[in-house]
């Protein structure tokens, strides 16, 4: 009986110790579209965050504490994103890597600011995210006014004198990117022949495609996500159009090729230089591949967001969001996507967009020299 009692006491002490150790963990979060039409990018973010947390913990954690990861799904819905942000703030989580859609990141950022949560988005490119003078926001990607400029430069050089159309899906990201591209094109002396919008989630684009056909459009620029872009491309080909489709970074996932099939060959899009090819990423890329994960799109950007925060938290000697942000903006951080420095707004100083082309085999490669 005594031995059973001792075993029970020992077991209880073990549970208490493990609970105490768990209580000392620092919980951080990743938030994005884990479900819904953009779930491919949510999966990228989750993969990047999980690998980063595992690697940070393997290296000793942050200021003597291990990290625990909380994964939240906003389905790219602004209201759901705001609700998640309030939940994260209420749990006193000091840092979130998120969100994916600009329409989610922007409303969520206000709740994070009120709740003392530092937010680094790996993917939200709308300029408004960092233009509202919030203390708590930063990104590891570029902005639509930079991305749109590169797209416009490519179009101006390679489609001068051709018929151009611009479409947008009315979202914060899609319309913002389309408008920035239009602005840069117009400044370069090119006026689009057609400017039209559609609703995110639409499936039937035959009316728009008929207009593209009527106006003899040579290139259509789409400000929107990969699902609708893929359907537009397919329906153009079904109507016999050879029109080139160009879009932004939302096409940086193999799901686009699964929608279009071989018809997607020749599709153009803008994105940062592929971080998978950078020397700084080789070790991490090999680790992902060992898990049968292709770290495409925003996988490594999410990993980098975690790296920036963890390094700044070590430098600050605390996970207090305001102190970590002060350290972030004052330092230079080595990441899987290269060195990162911040301006006062929370935008990165190292901006570099390039143009990619999809091939018939479902892969994409950078157009050397960028064609701009």
């Amino acid at each position: 009986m005594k031995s059973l009692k001792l075993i029970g006491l020992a077991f209880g002490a073990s549970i208490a110790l493990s609970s105490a150790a768990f209580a000392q963990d620092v919980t951080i979060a990743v938030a994005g579209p884990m479900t819904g039409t953009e779930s491919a990018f949510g999966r990228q973010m989750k993969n990047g965050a999980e690998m980063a947390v595992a690697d940070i913990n393997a290296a000793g954690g942050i200021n003597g504490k291990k990290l625990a990861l909380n994964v939240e799904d906003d389905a790219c819905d602004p209201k759901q994103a705001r609700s998640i942000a309030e939940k994260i703030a209420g749990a006193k989580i000091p840092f979130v890597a998120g969100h994916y859609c600009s329409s989610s990141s922007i409303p969520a950022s206000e709740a994070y600011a009120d709740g003392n949560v530092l937010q680094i988005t790996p993917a939200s490119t709308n300029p408004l995210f960092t233009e509202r003078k919030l203390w708590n926001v930063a990104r590891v990607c570029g902005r639509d006014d930079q991305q749109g400029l590169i797209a416009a430069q490519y179009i101006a050089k390679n489609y001068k004198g051709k018929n151009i159309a611009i479409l947008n899906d009315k979202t914060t990201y899609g319309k913002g990117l389309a408008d920035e591209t239009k602005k840069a094109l117009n400044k370069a002396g090119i006026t689009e022949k057609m400017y039209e919008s559609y609703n995110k989630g639409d499936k039937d684009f035959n009316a728009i495609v008929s207009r593209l056909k009527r106006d003899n459009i040579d290139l259509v620029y789409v400000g929107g996500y990969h699902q609708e872009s893929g359907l537009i491309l397919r329906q153009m080909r079904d109507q016999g159009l050879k029109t080139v489709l160009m879009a932004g970074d939302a096409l940086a996932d193999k799901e686009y090729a699964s929608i279009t099939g071989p018809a997607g060959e020749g599709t153009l899009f803008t994105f940062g230089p592929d971080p998978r090819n950078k020397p700084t990423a080789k070790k991490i890329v090999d680790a992902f591949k060992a898990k049968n994960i292709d770290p495409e799109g925003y996988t490594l950007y999410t990993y980098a967001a975690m790296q920036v925060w963890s390094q700044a938290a070590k430098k600050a000697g605390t996970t207090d969001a305001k102190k970590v942000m002060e350290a972030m903006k004052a330092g230079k951080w080595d990441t899987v996507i290269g060195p990162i420095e911040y301006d006062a707004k929370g935008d990165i100083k190292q901006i570099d967009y390039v143009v990619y082309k999809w091939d018939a085999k479902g892969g994409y490669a950078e157009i050397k020299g960028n064609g701009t």
Side-chain angles (χ1 to χ4, degrees), residues 233 237 256 260-268 357-361:
L233 189 283
R237 298 297 179 259
Y256 176 75
T260 64
E265 181 181 10
T267 297
L268 306 170
K357 180 185 287 188
W358 280 94
D359 60 36
K361 296 180 180 179

Side-chain angles (χ1 to χ4, degrees), residues 27-325:
T27 299
I28 59 176
V30 59
M34 305 303 158
T35 61
T37 56
E38 310 313 322
S39 60
F41 292 96
R43 182 180 65 249
Q44 291 176 4
M45 294 172 67
K46 182 173 180 285
N47 286 340
E50 287 178 342
M51 179 74 83
V53 166
D55 288 348
I56 292 166
N57 283 340
I62 302 296
N63 302 328
K65 296 181 180 181
K66 293 295 180 74
L67 299 179
L69 182 66
N70 185 23
V71 180
E72 295 289 348
D73 176 25
D74 68 9
C76 269
D77 176 75
K79 290 182 180 179
Q80 195 165 321
R82 173 81 191 201
S83 177
I84 284 169
E86 291 171 352
K87 174 185 172 184
I88 288 171
K92 300 191 182 306
I93 291 173
F95 165 65
V96 59
H99 297 226
Y100 172 69
C101 293
S102 293
S103 55
S104 290
S105 281
I106 291 170
S109 64
E110 296 162 1
Y112 291 136
D114 292 341
N116 202 38
V117 181
L118 193 159
Q119 177 187 8
I120 304 178
T121 176
S124 294
T125 52
N126 190 279
L128 188 61
F129 178 70
T130 49
E131 289 290 342
R132 293 161 300 145
K133 298 182 179 179
L134 293 180
W135 66 269
N136 66 316
V137 296
R139 50 182 142 211
V140 291
C141 57
R143 296 167 38 133
D144 290 336
D145 45 358
Q146 298 151 346
Q147 186 173 189
L149 176 61
I150 293 298
Q153 288 174 346
Y154 181 90
I155 295 168
K157 179 176 180 179
N158 295 280
Y159 289 86
K160 187 177 182 181
K162 302 290 186 179
N163 294 327
I164 309 299
I166 300 175
L167 306 179
N168 79 82
D169 66 358
K170 302 180 186 176
T171 66
T172 304
Y173 164 73
K175 188 174 187 306
L177 182 54
D179 287 349
E180 291 293 349
T181 303
K182 171 180 162 60
K183 187 193 305 180
L185 272 175
N186 295 166
K187 190 173 181 180
I190 295 174
T191 301
E192 68 283 357
K193 193 166 184 178
M194 171 182 165
Y195 184 94
E196 188 62 75
S197 62
Y198 59 89
N199 294 309
K200 189 176 186 299
D202 283 353
K203 307 291 185 187
D204 185 354
F205 297 97
N206 282 299
I208 287 177
V209 171
S210 293
R211 285 194 59 193
L212 295 173
K213 190 173 186 177
R214 182 195 68 194
D215 290 345
N216 296 312
I217 299 300
D218 297 292
L219 179 141
V220 56
Y221 184 87
V222 180
Y225 293 91
H226 70 296
Q227 296 276 359
E228 293 79 18
S229 296
L231 292 174
I232 291 168
L233 189 283
R234 278 176 51 186
Q235 290 169 37
M236 285 197 305
R237 298 297 179 259
D238 288 344
Q239 287 199 33
L241 274 71
K242 295 182 179 180
T243 305
V244 172
L245 186 145
M246 186 176 192
D249 54 308
L251 263 61
D253 187 273
K254 287 187 174 64
E255 257 194 22
Y256 176 75
S258 71
I259 296 167
T260 64
E265 181 181 10
T267 297
L268 306 170
F269 70 98
T270 46
F271 192 53
D274 194 336
R276 292 174 297 182
N277 298 331
K278 294 188 176 183
T280 51
K282 187 180 187 310
K283 182 180 177 182
I284 307 304
V285 169
D286 289 345
F288 273 113
K289 288 183 176 177
K291 293 177 176 287
N292 292 316
I293 295 172
D294 179 7
E296 64 177 335
Y298 283 105
T299 307
L300 296 177
Y301 282 79
T302 307
Y303 190 103
M306 293 282 183
Q307 286 182 302
V308 169
W309 175 81
S310 65
Q311 290 174 36
K314 288 178 183 178
K315 182 77 173 178
T318 178
T319 57
D320 177 77
K322 289 183 178 176
K323 291 179 181 178
V324 174
M325 181 58 90

Side-chain angles (χ1 to χ4, degrees), residues 351-371:
I351 304 299
D352 193 9
Y353 277 104
V354 295
V355 179
Y356 291 86
K357 180 185 287 188
W358 280 94
D359 60 36
K361 296 180 180 179
Y364 58 81
E366 178 185 338
I367 298 175
K368 295 302 178 184
N370 206 15

